[in-house]
Amino acid sequence: MATLGIDIGGTNLSLGLVDDGRIIQEIHTPSFRPEMTLEETLEYLAAQIEKVFRAGTKKIGLGVPSVVDVQQGIVYDTQNIPSWTEVPLKEHLEKRFGVPVAVNNDANCFAMGVYGTYPADAKPETLVVVTLGTGVGMGIVNEGKLFCGANCGAGELGCLPFKDGILEDYCSKKFFTGAGWDSRDAAEKAKEGDPDALLLFDEFGQNMGALLCTVMYAYDPTHIALAGGIANNYPFFRQAMEEYIRANFPYRKAVERLTLDICTDDNIPVLGASLI
């Protein structure tokens, strides 16, 4: 039987029916308009679910960019959805569709999706997935299970103080904006060998090294996976990042044993939501 995975973003809703780790049907549709009421958003969401929901669907999983009460399936203060200040999403959808519903933070769902890409005989013991985009997201999977913390905020290391701001300011698109660049333009210039763009990515790599050192102190992972749009530019900041880690992380053996992967599959958010 299939599971329905849903990724609720500020721009798009992505829904996929997943069977045996493969998406067998999917749709992508615009997300909620800012002026929608809570009732309108829930009705719109249900209408999209009905397009892919089928008899025999055993479960619905949703990733939402917000703080989540995982046990109750209540989402709070969802980014980019003004009417979602406190929404009993699990209860509402279970009544509507008659199947179990799981709700979690979108970064946690992404982490589960990445975990699912590893072969059955090579699953990471402790995996931290770091998403690099407009901000910095993080999800932790330990021995096959999500570690969410008491308030679904266990991975918010991007909020830690760094330089004159926080780590997120220096390890996301905000870093490039702050330097007067668009991250995509910087990548294009770096591909052309532009020295200023390459120097910018070197600085970004050092910042990423500081972030990953923090991840290693906090969670001692066997694997770290970088994801999100900026992860596509890994070749431009890899060397500076690795040099920073080797120079600043005191436990040499932990660095040697760490596996660092890049994961940019667009289907990961939906696959991850289906696994929670």
Side-chain angles (χ1 to χ4, degrees):
M1 293 189 293
T3 300
L4 178 58
I6 304 171
D7 179 53
I8 298 178
T11 303
N12 294 298
L13 300 180
S14 298
L15 301 88
L17 205 59
V18 180
D19 190 13
D20 195 25
R22 297 182 301 106
I23 297 178
I24 57 176
Q25 183 182 355
E26 64 181 320
I27 63 170
H28 303 277
T29 186
S31 194
F32 315 113
R33 298 189 306 277
E35 68 273 13
M36 280 183 166
T37 65
L38 173 58
E39 291 73 19
E40 288 171 336
T41 61
L42 293 176
E43 190 58 38
Y44 179 77
L45 176 60
Q48 308 315 309
I49 292 175
E50 288 171 352
K51 293 177 182 178
V52 292
F53 192 86
R54 63 173 65 170
T57 300
K58 63 179 181 180
K59 179 182 173 183
I60 297 173
L62 301 97
V64 186
S66 65
V67 173
V68 179
D69 179 331
V70 175
Q71 298 300 320
Q72 300 296 320
I74 301 172
V75 301
Y76 299 93
D77 304 318
T78 307
Q79 295 182 35
N80 302 313
I81 311 176
S83 64
W84 283 28
T85 56
E86 183 173 341
V87 187
L89 198 56
K90 172 182 169 70
E91 178 183 4
H92 174 80
L93 293 178
E94 286 185 343
K95 287 181 179 178
R96 181 73 175 256
F97 292 96
V99 298
V101 173
V103 186
N104 213 308
N105 174 267
D106 56 349
N108 288 338
C109 291
F110 200 102
M112 281 303 298
V114 173
Y115 182 81
T117 65
Y118 289 91
D121 60 350
K123 295 292 188 186
E125 179 182 349
T126 303
L127 167 69
V128 177
V129 178
V130 183
T131 56
L132 307 171
T134 304
V136 173
M138 201 171 295
I140 304 100
V141 182
N142 186 55
E143 296 184 346
K145 296 181 180 180
L146 274 171
F147 174 66
C148 300
N151 301 290
C152 206
E156 297 298 330
L157 299 187
C159 296
L160 291 176
F162 184 67
K163 296 184 178 180
D164 61 352
I166 59 176
L167 277 164
E168 181 173 89
D169 296 333
Y170 291 89
C171 299
S172 68
K173 290 182 180 179
K174 295 177 182 180
F175 167 75
F176 296 92
T177 302
W181 288 73
D182 175 84
S183 59
R184 292 183 180 179
D185 290 343
E188 288 301 318
K189 290 293 186 181
K191 289 177 184 176
E192 296 169 2
D194 182 274
D196 291 334
L198 292 171
L199 190 63
L200 188 67
F201 273 107
D202 278 347
E203 184 178 351
F204 180 78
Q206 294 173 39
N207 299 337
M208 282 297 303
L211 174 61
L212 295 198
C213 283
T214 303
V215 169
M216 294 168 72
Y217 280 124
Y219 302 114
D220 191 22
T222 57
H223 294 65
I224 296 176
L226 302 183
I230 296 180
N232 289 302
N233 302 320
Y234 180 60
F236 301 128
F237 64 85
R238 174 180 180 176
Q239 181 176 345
M241 182 185 76
E242 291 181 346
E243 288 177 353
Y244 182 98
I245 294 171
R246 285 195 296 269
N248 291 278
F249 196 76
Y251 307 118
R252 177 178 55 83
K253 214 60 180 174
V255 176
E256 292 175 0
R257 291 173 175 171
L258 179 69
T259 297
L260 184 61
D261 296 315
I262 307 299
C263 190
T264 56
D265 187 335
D266 291 339
N267 291 324
I268 289 295
V270 167
L271 290 171
S274 77
L275 293 171
I276 62 172

